């Protein structure tokens, strides 16, 4: 298939990304650049190199194969491992991602992020957990990155999953043309739609794009009767104000179609390592994770507008609590 995207990960046993127990398929490539992004390895469409400082023994075996002189020579391990050190093994602006160094490393300190898989290979992986889906109401969640950036592939993957009798969710940031969104959602049982800010200037500052297209797409999608779960990442200093939540709740309650639920997703920093492995200086590296309990008051704002709201998006627990 043309423009076949890379897969960064197939993650099993997720209970926070749609109903029941689910397998998440992450596609690589996203048109947005959210500054807090929890999956930075999915932003770019091309393969990247992880360098895992903790595993690197500074043997220097990766030096010689590098045709671009893009690897720093060995230094004492202690120095390289030093907490807070800005030392990076790979000089990223020289690296052309030939991956020769990865093959030379015997300590798994270097790894390629992004691999091509056919739809059949992906679904074979996903189907391994079919008994769990059957018992929990789970299935496949297609995520990223941004699946609509690979519209043809995403549509075909979701259609093939449906043909195999799998429940499907599409996790999207909604930043695409309406025609693209309409096409991809056709084979999704539930759309997990991200909402990040109601103010377009603030949205652009932290994500790289304005929000008008996203809000319009959500409006039109709700009109089609699609099942939509809105997901709101709550990020300190960005959208963690009652003013934002009130504006978002009013907007969601005023849509022409019903929103099945709102999931408030508290900012966390579990992705810290991935930024280090990619050699990216993360803006939020000093920011503490948000206590879920702090989102109780914002959650009430949505509930008052008649929107069923969870904190953390624990679909499986919520389903159990409802006796499903
Ligand atoms: S991927 Fe290639 S160019 Fe980049 S550091 Fe490794 S060997 Fe050098
Ligand atoms: S080959 Fe691997 S362990 Fe050795 S210096 Fe390179 S990255 Fe580190």
């Amino acid at each position: 298939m043309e423009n076949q995207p890379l897969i960064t990960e197939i993650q099993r046993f997720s209970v926070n990304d749609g109903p029941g127990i689910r397998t998440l398929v992450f596609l690589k490539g996203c048109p947005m650049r959210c500054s807090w992004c929890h999956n930075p390895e999915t932003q770019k469409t091309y393969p990247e190199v992880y360098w895992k400082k903790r595993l690197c023994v500074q043997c220097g075996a990766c030096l010689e194969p590098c045709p671009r002189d893009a690897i720093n020579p060995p230094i004492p391990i202690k120095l390289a491992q030093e907490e807070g050190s800005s030392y990076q093994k790979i000089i990223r602006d020289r690296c052309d991602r030939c991956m020769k160094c990865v093959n030379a490393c015997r300590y798994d300190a270097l790894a390629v992020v992004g691999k091509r898989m056919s739809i059949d290979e992906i679904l074979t992986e996903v189907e391994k957990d079919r008994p769990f889906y059957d018992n929990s109401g789970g299935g496949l969640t297609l995520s990223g990155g941004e699946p609509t950036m690979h519209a043809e592939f995403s549509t075909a993957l979701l259609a093939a999953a449906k043909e195999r009798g799998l429940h499907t969710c599409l996790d999207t940031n909604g930043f695409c043309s309406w025609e693209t969104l309409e096409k991809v959602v056709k084979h999704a049982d539930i759309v997990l739609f991200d909402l990040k800010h109601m103010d377009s200037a603030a949205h652009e500052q932290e994500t790289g794009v304005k929000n008008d297209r996203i809000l319009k797409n959500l409006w039109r999608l709700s009109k089609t009767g699609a099942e939509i779960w809105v997901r709101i990442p709550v990020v300190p200093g960005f959208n963690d104000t009652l003013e934002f939540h009130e504006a978002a709740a009013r907007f969601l309650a005023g849509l022409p179609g019903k929103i099945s639920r709102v999931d408030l997703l508290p900012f966390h920093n579990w992705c810290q390592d991935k930024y280090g492995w990619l050699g990216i200086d993360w803006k939020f590296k000093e920011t503490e994770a948000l206590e879920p309990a702090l989102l109780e008051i914002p959650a009430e704002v949505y509930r008052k507008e008649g929107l069923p709201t969870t904190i953390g998006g624990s679909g499986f627990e919520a389903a159990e609590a409802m006796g499903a």
Side-chain angles (χ1 to χ4, degrees), residues 51 55-62 89 104-107 109-110:
W51 172 63
L55 297 179
C56 178
V57 299
Q58 293 291 331
C59 68
C62 49
K89 190 78 184 157
C105 179
R106 289 185 290 123
Y107 297 92
L110 293 165

Side-chain angles (χ1 to χ4, degrees), residues 49-51 70-72 87-93 95 101 110 277 279:
V49 191
Y50 270 157
W51 172 63
I71 297 190
N72 278 315
Y87 173 77
Q88 282 291 325
K89 190 78 184 157
I90 300 175
I91 305 161
R92 300 279 169 174
D93 53 3
C95 171
C101 57
L110 293 165
W277 297 344

Side-chain angles (χ1 to χ4, degrees), residues 49 62 65-71 90 94-102:
V49 191
C62 49
C66 178
R68 309 270 303 183
D69 203 14
I71 297 190
I90 300 175
R94 283 195 211 157
C95 171
D96 69 356
R97 304 178 300 278
C98 72
M99 308 303 175
K100 288 183 177 152
C101 57
V102 177

Side-chain angles (χ1 to χ4, degrees), residues 31-47:
M32 289 166 64
R33 290 290 178 268
C34 303
S35 56
W36 66 89
C37 178
H38 286 158
N39 296 308
E41 77 285 10
T42 64
Q43 290 185 349
K44 294 172 181 150
T45 49
Y46 49 77

